Amino acid sequence: MDSLRSLWPYLKMHQRQYLIGMVLVIFANSINLLPFYLIRLTIDGLTGARDGDPATAGITLAQAGWYALGIVGAAATAGVLMLFMRRLIVVASRQTEYEVRRDIFAHLQGLDKPYYDRASTGDLMNRLTGDLSAVREMLGFGAWQIVNIVSGFITAFAVMFSLTWQLTLIVVAVVPVIVGILTYLARLINVRHRLAQEQNSKIAGKAQENFSGARVVKGYAIEDREISEYKAMNLELLRRNIALTKVDGPLRSFMSLLLGLAFALILLIGGRLILTSNGAFTVGMFVQFVGTLERLTFPMLMIGWITGVTQRGLASWLRLRELYDARAQVQDVPGRTDVSIRALTGDLRFDNVSLNYGNREVLKNINLHVPAGTFLGITGPTGSGKTVLGQLITRSMDPSSGVVRLDGHDLRVIPLKLLHDAVAVVPQEPFLFGDSIANNIAFGVEKQELPVVKTGVSVVGAPQPPNIPQEPDPEKVRNAARLAGLLEDIESFPLGFETLLGERGVTLSGGQRQRTAIARAIVREPAILILDDSLSAVDTETERKILDGLREVSAGRTVILIAHRVSTLRHADSIVVLEEGRVTEQGSHDELLELNGHYAELERLQRLASDLDEDDNAISDPEAAADRLAARREAVRNGQQPNQGQPRQEALK
C-alpha cells in the first residue's frame, strides 16, 4: 500500500484517462456477455419450434437473423470500446513513464558528490530502464487487466447467479483456492524479481566498467579473467531468473487444472439439472452459463500473469523510490540560504576548518586567507588533503567544524547555483564528452536563459521543450584553447575544432584531455579557478605555455593551483604546504626556500632529478619525489637519521 500511495501523485495527473478507460472496460465486459444471451434465446427458440408443443415458444428464421446481427454488433461495440480504453490507459502509462523518468533524472542532477561516490553507474542505468519499464507495464497493461478481471468477474457472476445458484457455487468454491495460492506466490515473485533486478544492475555495472576501461583490460591482457567473471555473474542471473520462473510459470497450468475440474463438475451437475428441472433450467440457459464461464477462463488465467506483473512493478517501484529518497548531504536550506547574494568576487577565508572522514581527520584547523585575485599554489605529499581543500570551496562537502567564507559569506548561505557558477574546477582526470572539441570546451557556458524544467507535473498539454542548439562562440572557444596551450594541437587536426572525440575523449592524449578541461574552465570566466594537479600529464614546455595563459586570465580572479611540481608553483603569489591535513608552510617561492622545510627539500629533489634525468635511478615523477620526501621526513620523526653525506644518486633512490 505504501508503494501505491507514493505512486498516487502520478496516477492522479492521469485520473481522467484511467477513470474513462475503466468505465469503458466495464461496459465492454457487460456487452461481451450479450452474445451468450442471444445464443440462449436462439437455442431455446429452435428447441421450442421443433418439439411439437404449441405452448412452447418457437423462433422464426428472421428472428434468428436478428440475433446473429446482435451478436456481431455486440462484438464490434465491445471491440471499439476496448480500443478506446487501450488508447487511454496505455497512453497514460507511457506518459507516466516519461514523467517518472524526467523527475528521477532531475532529482539525480541535484545529488552531490558523496552520493555518486557510492552509486554504481550500471545500477542507475538499470533502474531508469529495466525497473521503469516494469512500472510502466504495471500501470498500463497490468492496470486495465486488473479492472478487466474484476469487472469481468462481477458481471459474469451476476449473470450466472441469475441462471443457477447451484452451478455458480461450484465456481465460487474454486476462487478462494486460487486467491490463496496466488497470495503466497506473489510474495515469492516480489522477492525473487528484486533479486534478479539487483543482479541485472551488477551485470550492467560490470559491462559499463569494462567498456569504459577496455584499454586497461587489453593492456594487462586479462580478457579471459574478465570474461570468466562476467560469465559467473550471468550464471547467477540465470539461476535467479530460473528461480523466478519456477514460481511464475506454474500459475497458468495450475489454474487451467482447476478450471478443467470445475467444467467437469458443471457438465455433470448441469446435465442433471436440465433433466430434472422440468424446463426451469433449459439447454439454452446451460449454454449461456457455460459461455459466460468461458468468458472467465481468460481472466482467471490472467490472474497469475497479472499477479507477476504487479509484483514485479511494485518491486521495481521500490527500487526507483530509493533514488527519489536519496538526499544530497550539501544543499540549499530554506531560511539559511541568502538569495539576496547576487555576485561573488573570489575572496576566500578558512576559519579553523577541520574535516573528518569517519574516524579519520583529513583536515585539521586550517586557517587561510586568499584575497580576491590571488594566484595561490598548494602542494604537499599524497593524501595530505590538497584535493579535499578544493572540494570544500565548491561545497562538494561541508567541513566538520569551522567555516569557509567567500566574500565574507559563510559558504552554506550562498545559493549553490551561484556558487557553482562562480567556481570552475579542473580535475586531474577530466571527463570529456563524445562530442566535438568546440562543444566540449564550451560545455559549461550558458547559451541562453532556459526555462526551469518543472517536475511533478503532467506531460499532457505541456509545451514542447525548447530547442537547445549547441552554438558556442567561436572566438571565445579559440581564445580559451590558446590560453590552455591547446590551439596548435587542434589546428593540426583535419577537422579542427569540429573534431569528434570518442567516449570520455579517448581519441586525445592525457595531456590534451587535461588542456581541453582547462580551456573548458577558462571559457566560463569564473571568479575562482581551481586546477587540481591538472598539469601532471603535460611536458615542461606545454606547462610553461599554460602557466603564461593562466597569468593572462588570472587578473581579477582567484586561481588556486594544486600541484607537485615546483616549476608549476614558483610563480604563484603565495604557496601553501599541506602535511597530514595541516598548513605547515606558507609564503612565496623564495620565502619557502629560505625556510628550508618541505618545499625547499622538494625543490632540491626535483632539481636533482632534472639534472639526473638520464640516470636509471633518477626520480622523474614529481609526485613520487614528494612521496619520497614525506617518507624521509617520517623517518626523521621516528628517530632514524638519513645519511646526509650520501651521494646525490643514492639520496634519490
Side-chain angles (χ1 to χ4, degrees):
M1 292 301 295
D2 290 337
S3 297
L4 293 177
R5 276 196 293 269
S6 60
L7 260 175
W8 173 244
Y10 290 102
L11 298 177
K12 186 178 180 180
M13 290 188 288
H14 303 280
Q15 58 183 342
R16 181 172 176 270
Q17 293 164 273
Y18 279 108
L19 181 60
I20 295 175
M22 291 174 183
V23 170
L24 294 178
V25 171
I26 295 172
F27 275 113
N29 277 325
S30 301
I31 294 172
N32 274 326
L33 298 180
L34 182 59
F36 300 113
Y37 174 71
L38 298 176
I39 292 173
R40 165 193 166 184
L41 296 179
T42 302
I43 292 174
D44 287 344
L46 291 173
T47 304
R50 297 294 297 273
D51 64 5
D53 185 355
T56 305
I59 188 174
T60 64
L61 183 60
Q63 288 176 310
W66 282 111
Y67 290 156
L69 287 176
I71 293 173
V72 174
T77 303
V80 171
L81 293 177
M82 294 297 282
L83 175 63
F84 279 106
M85 176 278 303
R86 289 176 67 93
R87 290 180 64 88
L88 288 168
I89 293 183
V90 175
V91 168
S93 71
R94 290 289 183 180
Q95 292 168 338
T96 302
E97 179 187 28
Y98 162 82
E99 292 155 1
V100 172
R101 181 179 285 114
R102 174 202 63 197
D103 292 357
I104 290 181
F105 186 81
H107 179 70
L108 290 174
Q109 292 296 305
L111 298 181
D112 52 5
K113 179 180 178 296
Y115 175 81
Y116 287 103
D117 288 342
R118 301 187 306 270
S120 163
T121 303
D123 178 56
L124 294 178
M125 293 174 63
N126 186 54
R127 295 192 192 210
L128 283 174
T129 53
D131 284 310
L132 190 52
S133 294
V135 172
R136 187 257 308 154
E137 192 172 14
M138 176 184 69
L139 297 180
F141 192 72
W144 78 259
Q145 279 295 344
I146 289 174
V147 177
N148 185 40
I149 291 170
V150 173
S151 63
F153 269 86
I154 292 174
T155 54
F157 274 106
V159 171
M160 289 190 294
F161 266 113
S162 69
L163 295 172
T164 168
W165 62 268
Q166 295 96 328
L167 297 182
T168 306
L169 289 179
I170 297 175
V171 180
V172 171
V174 177
V175 173
V177 178
I178 295 176
V179 172
I181 294 176
L182 287 179
T183 302
Y184 169 73
L185 294 179
R187 296 194 185 98
L188 294 180
I189 291 173
N190 192 322
V191 172
R192 296 187 183 187
H193 173 71
R194 188 176 181 86
L195 292 173
Q197 285 298 95
E198 289 174 354
Q199 187 65 15
N200 260 323
S201 295
K202 293 179 181 178
I203 289 175
K206 180 70 173 178
Q208 187 268 336
E209 287 181 350
N210 267 263
F211 297 151
S212 299
R215 293 189 297 177
V216 177
V217 173
K218 290 186 175 296
Y220 282 86
I222 56 173
E223 294 93 338
D224 291 341
R225 190 186 76 184
E226 293 300 301
I227 292 172
S228 297
E229 290 182 1
Y230 194 71
K231 174 185 175 182
M233 296 175 73
N234 274 280
L235 287 174
E236 175 61 19
L237 176 62
L238 176 63
R239 186 189 67 79
R240 296 187 182 187
N241 278 328
I242 290 175
L244 176 61
T245 303
K246 287 180 179 178
V247 178
D248 201 7
L251 289 178
R252 298 187 66 173
S253 300
F254 177 75
M255 282 186 290
S256 296
L257 174 63
L258 291 179
L259 288 174
L261 294 174
F263 272 113
L265 289 173
I266 288 169
L267 180 61
L268 291 174
I269 299 175
R272 188 176 184 85
L273 285 175
I274 293 172
L275 296 174
T276 60
S277 64
N278 294 323
F281 187 68
T282 65
V283 174
M285 296 172 68
F286 180 75
V287 171
Q288 183 184 6
F289 185 93
V290 173
T292 304
L293 179 59
E294 191 276 333
R295 288 290 306 170
L296 287 181
T297 302
F298 179 75
M300 283 188 179
L301 293 176
M302 289 298 293
I303 289 176
W305 188 85
I306 291 301
T307 300
V309 168
T310 303
Q311 290 303 317
R312 285 192 292 270
L314 292 175
S316 291
W317 176 247
L318 288 176
R319 283 167 50 83
L320 292 173
R321 283 298 311 174
E322 291 174 1
L323 301 183
Y324 272 120
D325 295 338
R327 292 290 179 267
Q329 296 179 11
V330 175
Q331 54 186 318
D332 290 333
V333 178
R336 184 181 70 180
T337 302
D338 187 353
V339 295
S340 65
I341 303 174
R342 299 296 183 183
L344 300 169
T345 62
D347 184 90
L348 281 167
R349 184 181 293 275
F350 292 79
D351 292 337
N352 205 32
V353 171
S354 297
L355 178 67
N356 298 331
Y357 274 168
N359 296 325
R360 180 184 170 215
E361 193 173 22
V362 181
L363 294 177
K364 305 172 185 177
N365 303 319
I366 301 295
N367 288 282
L368 182 65
H369 181 216
V370 186
T374 300
F375 194 140
L376 176 69
I378 301 178
T379 189
T382 302
S384 58
K386 304 183 296 298
T387 297
V388 173
L389 193 68
Q391 290 174 348
L392 287 177
I393 298 172
T394 61
R395 275 201 81 193
S396 296
M397 57 190 76
D398 284 332
S400 303
S401 62
V403 179
V404 182
R405 300 185 186 277
L406 179 55
D407 293 354
H409 305 290
D410 186 336
L411 277 186
R412 290 169 290 192
V413 308
I414 300 174
L416 279 174
K417 188 178 187 309
L418 176 64
L419 176 64
H420 294 162
D421 285 342
V423 182
V425 181
V426 184
Q428 183 177 4
E429 298 179 1
F431 184 95
L432 300 181
F433 297 88
D435 203 341
S436 68
I437 295 179
N439 287 345
N440 267 282
I441 293 176
F443 179 78
V445 181
E446 291 282 347
K447 306 298 182 301
Q448 55 181 301
E449 284 296 327
L450 298 175
V452 176
V453 176
K454 295 182 179 180
T455 59
V457 297
S458 173
V459 68
V460 179
Q464 289 293 323
N467 185 27
I468 310 174
Q470 188 85 336
E471 297 177 355
D473 185 330
E475 287 304 316
K476 285 187 176 181
V477 170
R478 184 181 181 83
N479 186 54
R482 178 185 63 81
L483 294 172
L486 187 64
L487 184 58
E488 292 182 5
D489 295 51
I490 295 176
E491 290 179 339
S492 68
F493 298 152
L495 297 179
F497 282 92
E498 296 306 312
T499 300
L500 292 177
L501 307 183
E503 185 179 11
R504 295 175 177 264
V506 294
T507 54
L508 300 180
S509 68
Q512 289 171 334
R513 287 197 296 271
Q514 285 189 335
R515 283 177 281 161
T516 303
I518 293 172
R520 182 167 61 192
I522 290 174
V523 78
R524 290 181 55 197
E525 301 179 353
I528 300 174
L529 176 61
I530 302 174
L531 295 94
D532 186 1
D533 206 11
S534 53
L535 303 179
S536 60
V538 300
D539 56 69
T540 54
E541 177 62 24
T542 303
E543 177 188 71
R544 183 189 62 78
K545 293 180 181 179
I546 296 173
L547 290 174
D548 288 342
L550 288 178
R551 279 191 288 273
E552 184 176 333
V553 302
S554 63
R557 62 174 46 89
T558 303
V559 178
I560 298 177
L561 180 60
I562 301 171
H564 289 284
R565 288 178 180 169
V566 172
S567 61
T568 307
L569 299 165
R570 63 184 306 132
H571 298 295
D573 299 329
S574 180
I575 302 170
V576 170
V577 178
L578 283 178
E579 294 183 85
E580 297 181 352
R582 298 180 184 275
V583 176
T584 57
E585 301 174 31
Q586 183 176 357
S588 67
H589 172 75
D590 293 334
E591 290 171 345
L592 293 184
L593 290 181
E594 291 179 3
L595 288 177
N596 201 30
H598 176 98
Y599 185 83
E601 191 163 358
L602 181 64
E603 193 272 343
R604 285 194 295 271
L605 280 170
Q606 292 182 11
R607 179 159 44 82
L608 288 172
S610 177
D611 294 340
L612 301 173
D613 58 359
E614 294 181 0
D615 192 298
D616 291 339
N617 295 322
I619 303 176
S620 58
D621 183 356
E623 187 169 348
D627 292 342
R628 178 65 57 83
L629 175 59
R632 292 183 62 190
R633 292 172 68 88
E634 182 66 24
V636 171
R637 281 195 295 270
N638 293 335
Q640 302 172 4
Q641 296 297 329
N643 184 4
Q644 300 295 329
Q646 58 190 343
R648 290 190 306 171
Q649 291 185 0
E650 287 298 320
L652 291 173
K653 290 184 180 179

